[in-house]
Amino acid sequence: MTLPNWITFSRLLGIPFLLYGLYNPTPQLRWVCLGVFLVAALTDWLDGYLARKLNQISELGKFLDPLVDKLLVLAPLLVLIELGRVPAWGVFLILGRELAIAGWRVNQATITGANIWGKLKTVSQIVAIALLIAPLPQVWQMPCLVAFWVSVALTLISGAIYLLPPKSNTLNDTL
């Protein structure tokens, strides 16, 4: 297993600490959770950077990276549902998209990396979850929810882009 794949796998180690801290929501633990979440999210960039830099892009990495991303995003969102911070149906839309794309990828001949829409989706989810985890004053409640709904919208848009057939660019393909 390559170094980038180990880094991807290490993201999973932060999830139990994140979940524990979210269920014990003192302001201090919420800041710790935010730190754990952001460090785990930054490793998403780091593993991709190292895979390209070290020429260690692998089929395992292409499969493992989005799977770990999904777990890192969905685990805190499920807790945030329980804590009443986000509506379940919004998280269900995210989960539905993630399952649909995972199923779609399994049926592809080759596993492709994320496109720009998938990357925007991931960044928007990280920002939204970070804002929702942080022990911010009440005045931040609406901006946090707006960030959440923007991430839901980008999640659905990126899913539709993955599933829609590519447009043809040649005259022969349209005949």
Coordinates of all heavy atoms in Angstrom, one line a residue, residues 27-108:
P27 N -18.2 23.5 24.7 CA -17.5 24.4 23.7 C -16.1 23.9 23.4 O -15.6 23.9 22.3 CB -17.6 25.7 24.3 CG -18.8 25.7 25.2 CD -18.9 24.3 25.7
Q28 N -15.4 23.5 24.5 CA -14.0 23.0 24.3 C -13.9 21.8 23.4 O -13.1 21.7 22.5 CB -13.3 22.7 25.7 CG -13.2 23.9 26.6 CD -14.5 24.3 27.3 OE1 -15.5 23.5 27.3 NE2 -14.5 25.4 28.0
L29 N -14.8 20.8 23.7 CA -14.8 19.6 22.9 C -15.2 19.9 21.4 O -14.8 19.3 20.5 CB -15.7 18.5 23.5 CG -15.0 17.6 24.4 CD1 -15.9 16.6 25.0 CD2 -13.8 16.9 23.8
R30 N -16.1 20.9 21.3 CA -16.6 21.2 19.9 C -15.4 21.8 19.1 O -15.2 21.5 17.9 CB -17.7 22.2 19.9 CG -19.0 21.7 20.5 CD -19.8 20.8 19.6 NE -20.4 21.5 18.5 CZ -21.6 22.1 18.5 NH1 -22.3 22.1 19.6 NH2 -22.1 22.7 17.5
W31 N -14.5 22.6 19.8 CA -13.4 23.2 19.1 C -12.4 22.0 18.8 O -11.8 22.0 17.7 CB -12.7 24.2 19.9 CG -13.4 25.5 19.9 CD1 -13.9 26.2 21.0 CD2 -13.6 26.4 18.8 NE1 -14.5 27.3 20.6 CE2 -14.3 27.5 19.3 CE3 -13.3 26.3 17.5 CZ2 -14.7 28.6 18.4 CZ3 -13.7 27.4 16.6 CH2 -14.4 28.5 17.1
V32 N -12.2 21.1 19.7 CA -11.4 19.9 19.4 C -11.9 19.1 18.2 O -11.2 18.7 17.3 CB -11.2 19.0 20.6 CG1 -10.6 17.7 20.3 CG2 -10.5 19.7 21.7
C33 N -13.3 18.9 18.2 CA -13.9 18.2 17.1 C -13.7 19.0 15.7 O -13.4 18.3 14.7 CB -15.4 18.1 17.3 SG -15.9 16.9 18.5
L34 N -13.8 20.3 15.8 CA -13.5 21.0 14.6 C -12.1 20.8 14.1 O -11.9 20.6 12.9 CB -13.8 22.5 14.9 CG -13.5 23.5 13.7 CD1 -14.4 23.2 12.5 CD2 -13.6 24.9 14.1
G35 N -11.1 20.8 15.0 CA -9.7 20.6 14.7 C -9.5 19.2 14.1 O -8.9 19.1 13.1
V36 N -10.1 18.2 14.7 CA -10.0 16.8 14.2 C -10.6 16.7 12.8 O -10.0 16.1 11.9 CB -10.7 15.8 15.2 CG1 -10.8 14.4 14.5 CG2 -9.9 15.7 16.5
F37 N -11.7 17.3 12.6 CA -12.4 17.3 11.4 C -11.6 18.0 10.3 O -11.4 17.4 9.2 CB -13.8 17.9 11.5 CG -14.6 17.9 10.1 CD1 -15.1 16.7 9.6 CD2 -14.7 19.1 9.4 CE1 -15.8 16.7 8.4 CE2 -15.4 19.1 8.2 CZ -15.9 17.9 7.7
L38 N -11.1 19.2 10.6 CA -10.3 19.9 9.6 C -9.0 19.2 9.2 O -8.6 19.2 8.1 CB -10.1 21.3 10.0 CG -11.3 22.2 10.1 CD1 -11.0 23.6 10.6 CD2 -12.0 22.3 8.7
V39 N -8.3 18.6 10.2 CA -7.1 17.9 10.0 C -7.4 16.7 9.1 O -6.7 16.4 8.1 CB -6.4 17.4 11.3 CG1 -5.3 16.4 11.0 CG2 -5.8 18.7 12.0
A40 N -8.5 16.0 9.4 CA -8.9 14.8 8.5 C -9.2 15.3 7.1 O -8.8 14.7 6.1 CB -10.0 14.1 9.2
A41 N -9.9 16.4 7.0 CA -10.3 16.9 5.7 C -9.0 17.4 4.9 O -9.0 17.2 3.7 CB -11.3 18.1 5.9
L42 N -8.1 18.0 5.6 CA -6.8 18.4 4.9 C -6.0 17.2 4.4 O -5.3 17.3 3.4 CB -6.0 19.2 5.8 CG -6.5 20.7 6.0 CD1 -5.6 21.4 7.1 CD2 -6.4 21.4 4.7
T43 N -6.2 16.1 5.0 CA -5.4 14.9 4.5 C -6.0 14.5 3.2 O -5.3 13.8 2.4 CB -5.5 13.7 5.5 OG1 -6.8 13.2 5.7 CG2 -4.8 14.1 6.8
D44 N -7.3 14.9 2.9 CA -7.9 14.6 1.6 C -7.1 15.3 0.5 O -6.8 14.7 -0.5 CB -9.3 15.0 1.5 CG -10.0 14.6 0.2 OD1 -9.6 13.6 -0.4 OD2 -10.9 15.3 -0.2
W45 N -6.7 16.5 0.7 CA -5.8 17.2 -0.2 C -4.4 16.6 -0.2 O -3.9 16.4 -1.3 CB -5.8 18.7 0.2 CG -4.7 19.4 -0.6 CD1 -4.9 19.9 -1.9 CD2 -3.4 19.7 -0.3 NE1 -3.7 20.5 -2.3 CE2 -2.8 20.3 -1.4 CE3 -2.6 19.4 0.8 CZ2 -1.4 20.7 -1.4 CZ3 -1.3 19.7 0.8 CH2 -0.7 20.4 -0.2
L46 N -3.9 16.3 0.9 CA -2.5 15.8 1.0 C -2.3 14.5 0.3 O -1.4 14.3 -0.4 CB -2.1 15.7 2.5 CG -0.7 15.1 2.8 CD1 0.3 16.1 2.2 CD2 -0.5 14.9 4.3
D47 N -3.3 13.5 0.5 CA -3.1 12.2 -0.2 C -3.1 12.4 -1.7 O -2.4 11.8 -2.4 CB -4.1 11.2 0.4 CG -5.5 11.5 0.1 OD1 -5.8 12.3 -0.8 OD2 -6.3 10.9 0.8
G48 N -4.0 13.2 -2.2 CA -4.1 13.5 -3.6 C -2.8 14.1 -4.2 O -2.3 13.7 -5.2
Y49 N -2.3 15.1 -3.4 CA -1.1 15.8 -3.8 C 0.1 14.8 -3.9 O 0.8 14.8 -4.8 CB -0.8 17.0 -2.8 CG 0.5 17.6 -3.1 CD1 0.7 18.5 -4.1 CD2 1.6 17.3 -2.2 CE1 2.0 19.1 -4.3 CE2 2.8 17.8 -2.4 CZ 3.0 18.8 -3.5 OH 4.3 19.3 -3.7
L50 N 0.2 14.0 -2.8 CA 1.3 13.1 -2.8 C 1.2 12.0 -3.8 O 2.2 11.6 -4.4 CB 1.5 12.5 -1.4 CG 2.0 13.4 -0.3 CD1 1.9 12.7 1.1 CD2 3.4 13.9 -0.6
A51 N 0.0 11.6 -4.1 CA -0.2 10.5 -5.1 C 0.3 11.0 -6.5 O 0.9 10.3 -7.2 CB -1.7 10.1 -5.2
R52 N -0.1 12.3 -6.8 CA 0.4 12.9 -8.1 C 1.9 13.1 -8.0 O 2.6 12.8 -9.0 CB -0.4 14.1 -8.4 CG -1.9 13.9 -8.7 CD -2.6 15.1 -9.1 NE -2.7 16.1 -8.0 CZ -3.6 16.1 -7.0 NH1 -4.5 15.1 -7.0 NH2 -3.6 17.0 -6.1
K53 N 2.4 13.7 -7.0 CA 3.8 14.1 -6.9 C 4.7 12.9 -6.9 O 5.8 12.9 -7.5 CB 4.0 14.9 -5.6 CG 5.4 15.4 -5.3 CD 5.6 16.7 -5.9 CE 6.9 17.3 -5.5 NZ 7.4 18.3 -6.3
L54 N 4.3 11.8 -6.2 CA 5.1 10.6 -6.1 C 4.8 9.6 -7.2 O 5.3 8.5 -7.2 CB 5.0 10.0 -4.7 CG 5.4 10.9 -3.5 CD1 5.0 10.1 -2.2 CD2 6.8 11.2 -3.6
N55 N 3.9 10.0 -8.1 CA 3.4 9.1 -9.1 C 2.9 7.8 -8.6 O 3.3 6.7 -9.0 CB 4.5 8.9 -10.2 CG 4.0 8.3 -11.5 OD1 2.8 8.5 -11.8 ND2 4.8 7.6 -12.2
Q56 N 2.1 7.9 -7.5 CA 1.5 6.7 -6.9 C 0.0 6.7 -6.9 O -0.7 6.2 -6.0 CB 2.0 6.7 -5.4 CG 3.5 6.5 -5.3 CD 3.9 6.4 -3.8 OE1 3.2 6.7 -2.9 NE2 5.1 5.9 -3.6
I57 N -0.5 7.2 -8.0 CA -2.0 7.1 -8.2 C -2.3 5.7 -8.4 O -1.7 5.0 -9.3 CB -2.4 8.0 -9.4 CG1 -2.1 9.5 -9.1 CG2 -3.9 7.8 -9.7 CD1 -2.3 10.4 -10.3
S58 N -3.3 5.1 -7.7 CA -3.6 3.7 -7.8 C -5.1 3.5 -7.9 O -5.9 4.4 -7.5 CB -3.1 3.0 -6.5 OG -3.8 3.4 -5.4
E59 N -5.5 2.4 -8.4 CA -6.9 2.0 -8.4 C -7.5 2.0 -7.0 O -8.6 2.4 -6.8 CB -7.1 0.7 -9.1 CG -6.7 0.7 -10.6 CD -7.5 1.8 -11.4 OE1 -8.8 1.8 -11.3 OE2 -6.9 2.6 -12.1
L60 N -6.7 1.4 -6.0 CA -7.1 1.4 -4.7 C -7.4 2.8 -4.1 O -8.4 3.1 -3.5 CB -6.1 0.7 -3.8 CG -6.5 0.7 -2.3 CD1 -7.8 -0.1 -2.0 CD2 -5.3 0.1 -1.5
G61 N -6.5 3.7 -4.4 CA -6.6 5.1 -4.0 C -7.9 5.8 -4.6 O -8.6 6.5 -3.9
K62 N -8.1 5.5 -5.9 CA -9.3 6.1 -6.6 C -10.6 5.6 -6.0 O -11.6 6.3 -6.0 CB -9.2 5.8 -8.1 CG -8.2 6.5 -8.8 CD -8.3 6.1 -10.3 CE -7.1 6.6 -11.1 NZ -7.2 6.2 -12.5
F63 N -10.5 4.4 -5.5 CA -11.7 3.8 -4.8 C -11.8 4.2 -3.4 O -12.9 4.6 -2.9 CB -11.7 2.2 -4.9 CG -12.7 1.6 -4.1 CD1 -14.0 1.5 -4.6 CD2 -12.4 1.0 -2.9 CE1 -15.0 0.9 -3.9 CE2 -13.4 0.4 -2.1 CZ -14.7 0.3 -2.6
L64 N -10.7 4.1 -2.6 CA -10.7 4.4 -1.2 C -10.9 5.8 -0.8 O -11.7 6.1 0.1 CB -9.4 3.9 -0.6 CG -9.2 3.8 0.9 CD1 -10.2 2.8 1.4 CD2 -7.8 3.3 1.3
D65 N -10.3 6.7 -1.6 CA -10.4 8.2 -1.3 C -11.9 8.7 -1.2 O -12.3 9.2 -0.2 CB -9.6 9.0 -2.2 CG -9.6 10.5 -1.9 OD1 -9.1 10.8 -0.8 OD2 -10.1 11.3 -2.6
P66 N -12.7 8.4 -2.2 CA -14.1 8.9 -2.1 C -14.9 8.2 -1.1 O -15.8 8.8 -0.5 CB -14.7 8.7 -3.5 CG -13.7 7.8 -4.3 CD -12.4 7.9 -3.6
L67 N -14.6 6.9 -0.8 CA -15.3 6.2 0.2 C -15.0 6.8 1.6 O -16.0 7.0 2.4 CB -14.9 4.7 0.2 CG -15.5 3.8 1.3 CD1 -17.0 3.8 1.1 CD2 -14.9 2.4 1.2
V68 N -13.8 7.0 1.9 CA -13.4 7.6 3.2 C -14.0 9.0 3.3 O -14.5 9.4 4.3 CB -11.9 7.6 3.4 CG1 -11.5 8.4 4.6 CG2 -11.4 6.2 3.4
D69 N -14.0 9.8 2.2 CA -14.6 11.1 2.2 C -16.1 11.0 2.6 O -16.6 11.8 3.4 CB -14.5 11.8 0.8 CG -13.1 12.2 0.4 OD1 -12.3 12.3 1.3 OD2 -12.9 12.5 -0.8
K70 N -16.8 10.1 2.0 CA -18.2 9.9 2.4 C -18.4 9.6 3.8 O -19.3 10.2 4.5 CB -18.8 8.8 1.5 CG -19.0 9.1 0.0 CD -19.2 7.9 -0.8 CE -19.3 8.2 -2.3 NZ -18.3 9.1 -2.8
L71 N -17.6 8.7 4.4 CA -17.7 8.4 5.8 C -17.3 9.6 6.7 O -18.0 9.9 7.7 CB -16.8 7.2 6.2 CG -17.1 5.9 5.5 CD1 -16.1 4.9 5.8 CD2 -18.5 5.4 6.0
L72 N -16.3 10.4 6.3 CA -15.9 11.6 7.1 C -17.0 12.6 7.0 O -17.2 13.4 8.0 CB -14.6 12.1 6.5 CG -14.1 13.4 7.3 CD1 -13.7 13.0 8.7 CD2 -12.9 13.9 6.5
V73 N -17.8 12.7 6.0 CA -18.9 13.7 5.8 C -20.1 13.2 6.5 O -20.8 13.9 7.2 CB -19.1 14.0 4.3 CG1 -20.4 14.7 4.1 CG2 -18.0 14.9 3.8
L74 N -20.5 11.9 6.2 CA -21.8 11.4 6.7 C -21.8 11.2 8.2 O -22.8 11.4 8.9 CB -22.2 10.2 5.9 CG -22.6 10.5 4.5 CD1 -22.7 9.2 3.7 CD2 -23.9 11.3 4.4
A75 N -20.7 10.8 8.8 CA -20.7 10.5 10.2 C -21.1 11.7 11.1 O -22.0 11.6 11.9 CB -19.3 9.9 10.7
P76 N -20.4 12.9 10.9 CA -20.8 14.0 11.7 C -22.2 14.5 11.3 O -23.0 15.0 12.2 CB -19.8 15.1 11.4 CG -19.1 14.7 10.2 CD -19.2 13.2 10.1
L77 N -22.6 14.4 10.0 CA -24.0 14.8 9.6 C -25.0 14.0 10.3 O -26.1 14.6 10.8 CB -24.1 14.7 8.1 CG -23.5 15.8 7.3 CD1 -23.6 15.6 5.8 CD2 -24.0 17.2 7.7
L78 N -24.8 12.7 10.5 CA -25.8 11.9 11.2 C -25.9 12.4 12.7 O -27.0 12.4 13.2 CB -25.4 10.4 11.1 CG -25.5 9.8 9.7 CD1 -25.0 8.4 9.7 CD2 -27.0 9.9 9.2
V79 N -24.8 12.7 13.3 CA -24.8 13.2 14.7 C -25.5 14.6 14.7 O -26.3 14.8 15.6 CB -23.4 13.3 15.3 CG1 -23.5 13.9 16.7 CG2 -22.8 11.9 15.4
L80 N -25.3 15.4 13.7 CA -25.9 16.7 13.7 C -27.4 16.6 13.5 O -28.2 17.5 14.0 CB -25.3 17.6 12.6 CG -23.8 18.0 12.9 CD1 -23.1 18.6 11.6 CD2 -23.8 19.0 14.0
I81 N -27.9 15.5 12.8 CA -29.3 15.3 12.8 C -29.9 15.1 14.2 O -30.8 15.7 14.6 CB -29.7 14.1 11.9 CG1 -29.4 14.4 10.4 CG2 -31.1 13.7 12.1 CD1 -29.5 13.1 9.6
E82 N -29.2 14.2 14.9 CA -29.6 13.9 16.3 C -29.6 15.1 17.2 O -30.4 15.2 18.1 CB -28.7 12.8 16.9 CG -29.1 11.4 16.5 CD -28.3 10.4 17.3 OE1 -28.7 10.1 18.5 OE2 -27.4 9.8 16.8
L83 N -28.6 15.9 17.0 CA -28.5 17.1 17.8 C -29.5 18.3 17.4 O -29.5 19.3 18.0 CB -27.1 17.7 17.8 CG -26.0 16.7 18.4 CD1 -24.6 17.3 18.2 CD2 -26.3 16.4 19.8
G84 N -30.2 18.0 16.3 CA -31.2 19.0 15.8 C -30.6 20.2 15.1 O -31.2 21.2 14.9
R85 N -29.4 20.0 14.6 CA -28.7 21.1 13.9 C -29.0 21.1 12.4 O -28.9 22.1 11.7 CB -27.2 21.0 14.1 CG -26.7 21.0 15.5 CD -26.8 22.4 16.1 NE -26.3 23.4 15.3 CZ -25.1 24.0 15.3 NH1 -24.2 23.6 16.3 NH2 -24.7 24.9 14.5
V86 N -29.3 19.9 11.8 CA -29.6 19.9 10.3 C -30.8 18.9 10.2 O -31.0 18.0 11.0 CB -28.5 19.3 9.5 CG1 -27.3 20.3 9.5 CG2 -28.0 18.0 9.9
P87 N -31.6 19.2 9.1 CA -32.8 18.3 8.9 C -32.4 17.0 8.3 O -31.5 17.0 7.4 CB -33.7 19.1 7.9 CG -32.8 20.1 7.3 CD -31.6 20.3 8.2
A88 N -33.0 15.9 8.7 CA -32.7 14.6 8.2 C -32.9 14.5 6.7 O -32.1 13.8 6.0 CB -33.5 13.5 8.9
W89 N -33.9 15.1 6.1 CA -34.1 15.0 4.7 C -33.0 15.6 3.8 O -32.7 15.1 2.8 CB -35.5 15.5 4.3 CG -35.7 17.0 4.3 CD1 -36.1 17.7 5.4 CD2 -35.6 17.9 3.3 NE1 -36.2 19.0 5.1 CE2 -35.9 19.2 3.8 CE3 -35.2 17.8 1.9 CZ2 -35.9 20.3 3.0 CZ3 -35.1 18.9 1.1 CH2 -35.5 20.1 1.7
G90 N -32.3 16.6 4.4 CA -31.2 17.2 3.6 C -30.0 16.2 3.6 O -29.4 16.0 2.6
V91 N -29.8 15.6 4.8 CA -28.7 14.6 4.8 C -29.1 13.4 4.0 O -28.2 12.8 3.3 CB -28.4 14.2 6.3 CG1 -27.4 13.1 6.4 CG2 -28.0 15.4 7.1
F92 N -30.4 13.0 4.0 CA -30.8 11.9 3.1 C -30.5 12.2 1.6 O -30.1 11.3 0.9 CB -32.3 11.7 3.3 CG -32.8 10.6 2.4 CD1 -32.6 9.3 2.7 CD2 -33.5 10.9 1.2 CE1 -33.1 8.3 1.8 CE2 -34.0 9.9 0.3 CZ -33.8 8.6 0.6
L93 N -30.7 13.4 1.2 CA -30.3 13.8 -0.2 C -28.9 13.6 -0.5 O -28.5 13.0 -1.5 CB -30.7 15.2 -0.5 CG -32.2 15.5 -0.6 CD1 -32.5 17.0 -0.7 CD2 -32.9 14.7 -1.7
I94 N -28.0 14.0 0.5 CA -26.6 13.8 0.4 C -26.3 12.3 0.3 O -25.5 11.8 -0.6 CB -25.8 14.5 1.5 CG1 -25.9 16.0 1.4 CG2 -24.3 14.0 1.5 CD1 -25.4 16.8 2.5
L95 N -26.8 11.5 1.2 CA -26.6 10.1 1.3 C -27.1 9.4 0.0 O -26.4 8.5 -0.5 CB -27.3 9.5 2.5 CG -27.3 8.0 2.7 CD1 -25.8 7.5 2.8 CD2 -28.1 7.5 3.9
G96 N -28.3 9.8 -0.5 CA -28.8 9.2 -1.7 C -27.9 9.4 -2.9 O -27.6 8.5 -3.7
R97 N -27.4 10.6 -3.0 CA -26.4 10.9 -4.1 C -25.2 10.1 -4.0 O -24.7 9.5 -4.9 CB -26.1 12.4 -4.1 CG -25.1 12.9 -5.2 CD -23.7 12.8 -4.7 NE -22.8 13.4 -5.7 CZ -21.5 13.1 -5.8 NH1 -21.0 12.1 -5.1 NH2 -20.8 13.7 -6.7
E98 N -24.6 10.0 -2.7 CA -23.4 9.3 -2.5 C -23.6 7.8 -2.9 O -22.7 7.2 -3.5 CB -22.9 9.5 -1.1 CG -22.6 10.9 -0.7 CD -21.5 11.6 -1.5 OE1 -20.9 10.9 -2.4 OE2 -21.4 12.8 -1.4
L99 N -24.7 7.2 -2.5 CA -24.9 5.8 -2.8 C -25.1 5.6 -4.3 O -24.6 4.6 -4.9 CB -26.1 5.3 -2.0 CG -26.0 5.1 -0.5 CD1 -27.3 4.8 0.1 CD2 -24.9 4.1 -0.2
A100 N -25.8 6.5 -4.9 CA -26.0 6.4 -6.4 C -24.7 6.5 -7.1 O -24.5 5.7 -8.0 CB -27.0 7.5 -6.9
I101 N -23.9 7.4 -6.8 CA -22.6 7.6 -7.5 C -21.7 6.4 -7.2 O -21.0 5.9 -8.0 CB -21.9 8.9 -7.1 CG1 -22.7 10.1 -7.6 CG2 -20.5 9.0 -7.7 CD1 -23.1 10.1 -9.1
A102 N -21.7 5.9 -5.9 CA -20.9 4.7 -5.6 C -21.3 3.5 -6.4 O -20.5 2.8 -6.9 CB -21.0 4.4 -4.1
G103 N -22.6 3.3 -6.5 CA -23.1 2.2 -7.4 C -22.8 2.4 -8.8 O -22.4 1.5 -9.5
W104 N -22.9 3.7 -9.3 CA -22.5 4.0 -10.7 C -21.0 3.7 -10.9 O -20.7 3.1 -12.0 CB -22.8 5.4 -11.0 CG -22.4 5.9 -12.3 CD1 -23.1 5.7 -13.5 CD2 -21.2 6.7 -12.6 NE1 -22.4 6.3 -14.5 CE2 -21.2 6.9 -14.0 CE3 -20.2 7.1 -11.9 CZ2 -20.2 7.6 -14.6 CZ3 -19.2 7.9 -12.5 CH2 -19.2 8.1 -13.9
R105 N -20.2 4.1 -10.0 CA -18.7 3.8 -10.2 C -18.4 2.4 -10.2 O -17.5 2.0 -10.9 CB -17.9 4.5 -9.0 CG -17.8 6.0 -9.2 CD -17.0 6.6 -8.1 NE -16.8 8.0 -8.3 CZ -15.8 8.7 -7.9 NH1 -14.9 8.1 -7.2 NH2 -15.7 10.0 -8.1
V106 N -19.1 1.5 -9.5 CA -18.8 0.1 -9.4 C -19.0 -0.5 -10.8 O -18.3 -1.4 -11.2 CB -19.7 -0.6 -8.4 CG1 -19.7 -2.1 -8.5 CG2 -19.3 -0.2 -7.0
N107 N -20.0 0.0 -11.6 CA -20.3 -0.5 -12.9 C -19.4 0.1 -14.0 O -19.6 -0.2 -15.2 CB -21.8 -0.3 -13.2 CG -22.6 -1.1 -12.3 OD1 -22.3 -2.3 -12.1 ND2 -23.7 -0.5 -11.8
Q108 N -18.5 0.9 -13.7 CA -17.6 1.5 -14.7 C -16.4 0.6 -14.9 O -15.9 0.0 -14.0 CB -17.1 2.9 -14.2 CG -18.2 3.9 -14.0 CD -19.1 4.1 -15.2 OE1 -18.7 4.5 -16.3 NE2 -20.4 3.8 -15.0

